[in-house]
Amino acid sequence: MLQGKTALVTGSTSGIGLGIARALAQQGANLMLNGFGDAAEIAQLQADLAAEFKVQVEYDGADMSQPAQIEAMMAHAAARFGRVDILVNNAGIQHVAALEDFPTEKWDAILAINLSSAFHTTRLALPAMRAANWGRIINLASVHGLVASAQKSAYVAAKHGLIGLTKVTALETAQSGVTANAICPGWVLTPLVQKQVDARAARDGLSGEEAKRALLLEKQPSGEFVTPEQLGALAVFLCSDAGSQIRGAAWNMDGGWAAQ
Ligand code: NAD
């Protein structure tokens, strides 16, 4: 379905971004990976994805908190593949602390990585998408783009902002073949969430399994984690022709979290 298209997925060396990159590659899209990690492991990941899905896989290690590095990454993608057809803004970090204790440098980093990076990639990807009259912009927001939780001020503010950016992008592209939407996952068991499971286990004297269960049941009615594979399938659907009139949506996949 996506043969000949190029997908750039920020933060795709791990977790949800990797799940989405795999799902798009399975449909034939060439990949531009991005994210941090061990250089040898990333080279292996590139080779494995290329072999498994018979697509071309490039990598750029740009730091999403640095606009100049984002510009260089977008130029790298254009030089390698001609243009980016599918842009998945997924890179993100979390920090949990009360407002009055929230480190200001963490606030700045979360806003830069979880929100401003999507502004930069989007503004740089749009001209070629418009010229081709086809594009898909998928922003990995969160259920925290729809509702708040205590102790997550920067994350909740960034994710609400990302949904706002998604809506503006959708309006500005509404009469074109470019669509923009946000995906809003609930809990997904990735390294980002494992840290919160570990913190809860230490705080409450729980085993790892007990801490997972407690974390889930506090917010996510299904009591089950969402998976990167399920999120990948949703991203593929948004890229399909059936998705062409889904514009400016903030689509939650959250085990019922936001229904409460
Ligand atoms: P993760 O920690 O497994 O992966 C994050 C990815 O982003 C990694 O590849 C990491 O290297 C990359 N990254 C981090 N900082 C970066 C930077 N400065 N520049 C470039 N890359 C950077 O996390 P995840 O859970 O897969 O999260 C992915 C996205 O999904 C995030 O935006 C997160 O907010 C969102 N999300 C996660 C959950 C969840 O439960 N895990 C729920 C809702 C939304």
Side-chain angles (χ1 to χ4, degrees):
M1 185 181 100
L2 299 174
Q3 272 86 9
K5 303 261 194 268
T6 296
L8 186 159
V9 186
T10 70
S12 45
T13 51
S14 167
I16 295 169
L18 180 55
I20 291 178
R22 288 182 58 82
L24 296 173
Q26 191 168 30
Q27 297 298 320
N30 295 321
L31 295 176
M32 174 62 94
L33 300 175
N34 159 260
F36 297 148
D38 175 75
E41 283 176 21
I42 292 171
Q44 189 62 51
L45 177 64
Q46 260 180 278
D48 290 349
L49 288 168
E52 184 173 357
F53 299 114
K54 312 276 180 287
V55 297
Q56 296 171 50
V57 184
E58 187 80 11
Y59 166 76
D60 191 295
D63 180 340
M64 289 300 108
S65 70
Q66 303 297 322
Q69 293 188 31
I70 297 172
E71 288 186 11
M73 175 184 74
M74 298 306 287
H76 178 186
R80 177 66 176 78
F81 292 113
R83 67 169 173 269
V84 171
D85 302 286
I86 300 163
L87 170 64
V88 183
N89 289 306
N90 165 83
I93 60 167
Q94 175 64 286
H95 186 78
V96 181
L99 255 174
E100 58 270 43
D101 303 326
F102 211 90
T104 58
E105 66 278 9
K106 287 282 182 200
W107 171 275
D108 290 343
I110 288 175
L111 268 285
I113 296 164
N114 296 20
L115 175 57
S116 300
S117 71
F119 160 67
H120 294 296
T121 54
T122 300
R123 70 181 171 81
L124 295 163
L126 268 178
M129 288 183 178
R130 284 192 191 281
N133 199 32
W134 196 92
R136 293 289 186 269
I137 298 171
I138 300 174
N139 292 327
L140 259 291
S142 164
V143 72
H144 282 121
L146 301 168
V147 296
S149 292
Q151 312 260 319
K152 295 185 175 174
S153 53
Y155 189 86
V156 168
K159 296 298 188 182
H160 275 68
L162 186 57
I163 290 178
L165 174 66
T166 306
K167 291 177 181 175
V168 174
T169 311
L171 290 181
E172 292 190 10
T173 54
Q175 294 185 2
S176 77
V178 181
T179 74
N181 292 287
I183 295 179
C184 303
W187 291 124
V188 187
L189 192 57
T190 65
L192 183 144
V193 165
Q194 187 63 47
K195 274 191 211 156
Q196 296 174 64
V197 170
D198 295 345
R200 185 176 286 247
R203 187 193 71 191
D204 298 342
L206 302 174
S207 72
E209 283 311 307
E210 288 166 340
K212 271 185 210 164
R213 191 93 199 125
L215 183 98
L216 276 171
L217 287 178
E218 183 180 68
K219 298 278 185 181
Q220 193 146 306
S222 68
E224 291 178 16
F225 287 105
V226 177
T227 68
E229 292 73 22
Q230 291 168 331
L231 291 162
L234 178 54
V236 167
F237 179 67
L238 290 173
C239 291
S240 71
D241 289 341
S244 68
Q245 289 308 322
I246 304 173
R247 292 169 184 264
W251 190 326
N252 45 319
M253 186 186 276
D254 63 1
W257 182 327
Q260 297 167 100

